[in-house]
Amino acid sequence: MSNYSIDEFIRQTKQDATENDYFELETPRILEVNLMDQVWAKAGSMISYNGGIKFEREGVLEHGVGRMFKKAFSGEGSSLMKASGTGRLYLADQGKKITIFDLDNESLTVNGNDLLAFEPGINWDIKLMKKVAGMMSGGLFNVTLEGSGKVAITSHYEPLTLLVRPGDSIITDPNATVAWSGHLQPEFRTDISFKTFIGRGSGESIQMEFKGEGFVIVQPFEEVYTSGK
């Protein structure tokens, strides 16, 4: 570890007050939100803030019965909170690397555990992949985000983007899959014969197969999801 005087350490690690974009990477693993109204963020991701900011958990009926925030998703430990007011808000999630996307009338599907924050003007919906609910603990929840605005996602270490082309499908481990093009519809497949060789974490045989045209983002880490019950 390097040796620093206190003044030198502060100089190298202090926040950059000159950055005023809505979403800024203060460090590769800390997101700064220059809040002027409100933002949706993963519950429990706030590490610091200044100014007048109020935090509220997502209301069950906040978006109407048709889009109510699924209780099962909340059980995954990945419920959302709404931060409202003005000030600087700092978010992080277990030291994971943060990537910011600026959607331009586009859609992105993110593994529920890897969604950190997004602008309130973006439309979103939560989906449970029912086909794997019985195969994975608690199932697999994803959030589809559509429209224009900033979205911040997280990954363990540096992510890799795999291109999906017509006639050339991409197969991934669900626990290592972070996000994909919003229009892609992954299919789930199992391979009992080779289940002990698929994946590195638990020898599970579940795979996600992406067909069509788009991209898939994976991480060099198998994240195990629990039901939180």
Side-chain angles (χ1 to χ4, degrees), residues 88-167:
R88 290 179 185 263
L89 171 63
Y90 296 93
L91 305 173
D93 185 16
Q94 302 180 55
K96 295 163 70 175
K97 183 179 176 64
I98 300 170
T99 301
I100 300 173
F101 291 101
D102 193 355
L103 300 186
D104 183 13
N105 197 28
E106 298 166 298
S107 63
L108 180 72
T109 299
V110 183
N111 186 303
N113 203 50
D114 299 318
L115 178 61
L116 181 62
F118 59 93
E119 291 193 54
I122 289 180
N123 294 319
W124 57 272
D125 192 20
I126 297 166
K127 298 177 182 178
L128 167 62
M129 292 189 170
K130 296 180 181 179
K131 291 184 179 179
V132 292
M135 294 184 278
M136 297 181 67
S137 177
L140 187 65
F141 291 85
N142 300 304
V143 184
T144 298
L145 305 119
E146 298 179 313
S148 298
K150 299 287 182 65
V151 174
I153 69 171
T154 60
S155 63
H156 286 278
Y157 312 106
E158 285 67 30
L160 171 68
T161 299
L162 304 170
L163 298 181
V164 183
R165 298 183 176 91

Side-chain angles (χ1 to χ4, degrees), residues 11-55:
R11 188 185 70 80
Q12 293 202 27
T13 61
K14 69 179 179 180
Q15 68 187 82
D16 187 347
T18 64
E19 296 181 340
N20 293 299
D21 282 351
Y22 183 57
F23 279 11
E24 291 279 358
L25 284 181
E26 192 66 22
T27 78
R29 302 176 194 278
I30 298 177
L31 176 69
E32 176 186 283
V33 181
N34 290 291
L35 195 60
M36 297 298 293
D37 183 12
Q38 66 181 35
V39 67
W40 288 106
K42 185 175 183 178
S45 63
M46 184 275 291
I47 60 171
S48 180
Y49 72 92
N50 60 30
I53 301 177
K54 181 175 68 172
F55 300 90

